[in-house]
Amino acid sequence: MQRESENERGAARWELLQGLFHEAADLPRAERHEFLSQRCGDDQLLLDEALRLLEADEREHSLLDGDVATLAGRLLDSASPTAHPPESFGPYRLMELLGEGGMGMVYLAEREDLGSVAAIKILRDAWLSPERRERFASEQRTLAQLNHPAIARLYDADALADGTPWFVMEYVDGVSLTSYCERHSCSVAERIALFRSVCEAVQHAHRHAVIHRDIKPSNILVSDDGAVKLLDFGIAKQVESLDVAADRTRTGMRMMTPAYAAPEQIRGDRIGVHTDVYSLGVTLYELLTGRLPFDLANRTPAGMESTILEHDPVKPSAVARKTAERTGEPSIYSSASHASWAELDVLCLTAMHKDPQRRYATVDALLRDIDHFLRSEPLEARPDSWHYRLEKFVSRHRKAVAVGSGMLLLVVGLVAFYTVRLASARNEAVREAARTAQIQRFTLGLFNGGDDDAAPAESLRVLTLLERGVHTARSLDADPAAQADLYHTLGGIFLQLGKLGRADTLVEAALAVRRSMGSTDDAASGRSLVLLGDVREAQARYADAERLAREGLAIAESRAPRGSDDVAAATISLGRTLEDQGRYADAIPLFTKAIERRKAANAPEQDVAEAMTALANSYFYAGEYAVSDSLNKLVLAIDRRVYGDRHVSVANDLINLGAIQFQWGRYDEAERYYRQALGINESWYGAANPETASNLTMLGRALNFQGRYEEAVEVLDSALAIQERVYGPVHPRVASALNDLGTIALAQGELDSAEVDFRRMRDIYREIYGGDHYLLGVATSNLGSVYLARKDYARAERLFREGARIYAASQGPDHLNTGVARIKLGRALLRQGRFHEAVVESRAGYGIVSKQTSPSVSWLQAARKDLIEEFGALGAADSVAKYRAEDEAAIAKPESSGVRMK
Amino acid sequence: MERPITQSERDDRPTELVPEMNERSELDQLFSECYEELRRLAMSVRRRDPSVTLNPTALVNEAWLKLARRPGIASTSQLHFRRIAARAMRQVLVEAARRRKSEKRGGGAAAITFDDSLAIANAGADDMIALDAALDALAEIHPRQAMMVESRFFGGLDVAETAELLQVSEATILRDWRAARAWLAAELRRTG
């Protein structure tokens, strides 16, 4: 193709050429030449060019079709000494390149004097200063002391003259663990056995205080005879410390293989033995499913980070089963029973849990559970999705569960009881309150001519004055428009203060007055409809709330004056009702629209921030924590700018951010945020205020999760004291604070303390809710757990029975809680030797639970175990066999021949 | 937060998509900052396991993370940034390629190709330089297409993003890409 000298002609020609190319490409190959000849006519050159294009189109082109990564990788690798490695390293002579590892090149080397071989790894792009070389060498000597049959020995290590570090290691002739398993079509049992060997090796290293940090299948070689060897122990640590050139980037992912890196590695948090546990977990995942838990391909570092930190992997059993279904051939899935797979799910996912505290703390613990598994015993690990599922369920229905200002109660089993306060729920309220504060001031000014400072007055005084306002409003019959407005405003204020009954009455009154004026769909009525919707939302009447919001929005869209905020406000209200119903996917676009609207209307920043907060909340509930985090940070910046550093809006933003950190398991970060917020809340609301108490509760939880129990208890005690002072001894908030304390006490084995707390909690709920409220069930069951721990089975039985009854009555006989309660009841009965009765309960509970949460394995496992015992005692051999069969970890299934499919 | 990108290409630098006039200096500043950052990142990139590649796209994203907070850049859309960064990345790679070639000539002439990848790396350098030249040639006859290739290849923009950036349909992008690819391939064969 000759290049035209003038761009214009060139451009025109190229247009022409392209057109021809596309047309011809659409034709069947046989017709192309003909077509082109016709169209090109005399222009032989054009014809040639077109043909060349078509040819190139059909060919593969390594550079253009590939991605530039490999190319870049090579180019950017600045000329390093390893391009010309020396021929000898001390007594070793380099023979051939074995491969490229993650950090450098590996060569096969021969030791001439001994005639033995070894592997030599040379790090690229690493450079040791003379000062560091000494330390490096001595550290390596420590590593060299690791002596275990399954760990590749590190013989020696040092640096070249120019500072390039190198290691001499035992040469292992084998293939990677995953390759080995694939080639030999290993069954689940065999894979677990191999994995167990790996764990033992890691355990050994841990006992010698060496953490691997880079465990992955390619670092685990298996030789022909099936012997396992781990490579590269401790090298990762060395490499990390050598990374002087690159600063600590946000992702810091350079020094490890992202796919196997633990969340704490990615975040740059402390590494420990639990980090190796995580990598082992991922390795196990790969062994069981043939693939990695996360698809990190084509992701940006930030995307990788958020995937690893937040996305839950699909259960191994599900992946394996899908693969089996797809390929239709004997597969790894069929080499283990359904029950075994359920166990493996728990095993694997616990090992790779994102929260180090929820993971197996040590390889010992992992090994123990592997052995449990191999012996068909119940695992020690408790499955996670129990918690998650309930957590997500409750967070979806938080308003239904909520107590007043958006406290979120999490019920997990019948043992633990968490409280998460999502201040975000009332973030808008706070902003509104700021605005309302102005109204209040105005109103107060109207009534008593006094002035007020920025902080809200004692609620009592405000309420009194507001009642006077209502009184005044009633007398405004002569001016219905003003009357309606005042009713509307007062209703809004009462709503913010949480006086829903008053708010309800007032807003309805506003609407009634407007109706009587003949206005039903004017802008003002629309606003009142929206406000009524807000009231309904607070009352947890979501269907009504949604309907009203939609009505109000419709009116706003058609009637609102130009430049008014009505549409945006209505949109936000509607969005919130959807959010309450768990319809985050629907809520999110609404909030986004509201944000845009307000921006477009040049609304004050804080109003835009309000909408952003609403959006951030939705993302939070939907589990998109990273997005929520970013949004909240933006809102925080705005609030700081608009209100200054010490405003409650800022405090609430901080709490939101803290809640996110909490979800991420970064409890120390959460703590920091909560403390900051606390400082503000205490000074704004005073020490004896429910907002402060809420804040304290969240702080207490964060402390609890860091294992700082004494501090947690102290904080929670304060929270409890405040709640009691403000609400009196009988109030849901007090009950939930007691629950926090009781949970901690139970976990600490302080059974007496726990009993006291749960008893009080139960008493409170009894008094508040009277009949059968599921929260009462929770308190009852939690109390039962205390007795179970005490081995006072008779009492435990009574309580579990009551708990189950309450659950059945309030949530339904087939509810998860009911099922679990019955399982526990079954156990309590079993322990008392009342086998017939026990069977009834255990079986019923088992039936209920197994339908809903398959990975509730430990519960089901326990139930089965109980049932086996029970039936055994009753001599019902068939039933025993049945449950035993279900229970049996049928690992040793007949070997399935056939090609292993990936 | 997203500022819409206008289509006006009033500059005769063919591969630049120029927004409003008053952003001109911002653009320059953006480019130079980006370029510096990418160079810095690139120099510290390490080789890794072939099965996991940290590629220029990722570098660009890292640069974005770093630079996004700077005032001049904060108001730039990420898409726009990546477009510029792609340009910068291309620059970085071309320079690295040239450096590598000069190294080869300079030292270790009779390089014992102990390291197979050394040979490959040198081929890579030639490829890169050739690609750079070919892109320049394409830019002379169809600036927008060259820009598209640059953004996709060096910036990792996918079809949808490229379409949004150039304000054309995805179908157009696919067509253009196919034709551009064929042209470049033919050109590379011719010169390489």
Side-chain angles (χ1 to χ4, degrees), chain A residues 1 3 11 14 18 22 56-57 59 65 69 71 74 77 79 100 102 107 125 243 247 300 599, chain B residues 1 46-49 55 61-62 66 100 103 114 120 124 141-142 145 153 175 178-179 181 183 187:
Chain A
M1 192 164 31
R3 224 178 290 170
W14 173 231
Q18 274 191 96
H22 285 301
D57 180 57
R59 240 177 232 264
D65 293 334
L71 171 68
R74 289 191 195 113
D77 173 31
E100 283 181 35
Y107 299 90
D125 305 326
D243 186 14
D247 56 338
T300 67
K599 274 190 189 169
Chain B
M1 261 197 290
R46 284 152 197 259
R47 296 288 294 275
R48 64 206 59 253
D49 218 343
N55 53 45
N61 280 298
E62 285 206 56
K66 197 151 236 157
R100 184 162 273 278
E103 267 168 19
F114 208 98
I120 302 167
I141 54 174
H142 200 306
Q145 230 164 355
F153 199 64
R175 267 172 61 102
R178 187 177 180 186
R181 178 192 168 281
W183 189 91
E187 179 75 4

Side-chain angles (χ1 to χ4, degrees), chain A residues 13 16-17 20 40 43-51:
Chain A
R13 195 168 172 79
L16 180 59
L17 190 53
L20 288 173
C40 294
D43 197 339
Q44 187 61 33
L45 215 56
L46 190 62
L47 178 63
D48 284 342
E49 289 176 31
L51 286 173

Side-chain angles (χ1 to χ4, degrees), chain A residues 88-141:
Chain A
S88 65
F89 281 75
Y92 295 97
R93 194 176 71 84
L94 296 186
M95 290 173 37
E96 64 176 83
L97 177 67
L98 287 175
E100 283 181 35
M103 306 156 224
M105 327 272 287
V106 184
Y107 299 90
L108 182 65
E110 185 186 35
R111 195 162 159 166
E112 281 161 320
D113 51 352
L114 297 179
S116 58
V117 294
I120 296 193
K121 185 174 216 160
I122 305 174
L123 296 187
R124 321 185 72 91
D125 305 326
W127 178 83
L128 288 178
S129 67
E131 303 85 54
R132 299 198 46 206
R133 270 174 233 178
E134 184 49 49
R135 189 157 65 89
F136 178 73
S138 76
E139 275 163 358
Q140 294 318 310
R141 265 171 251 140

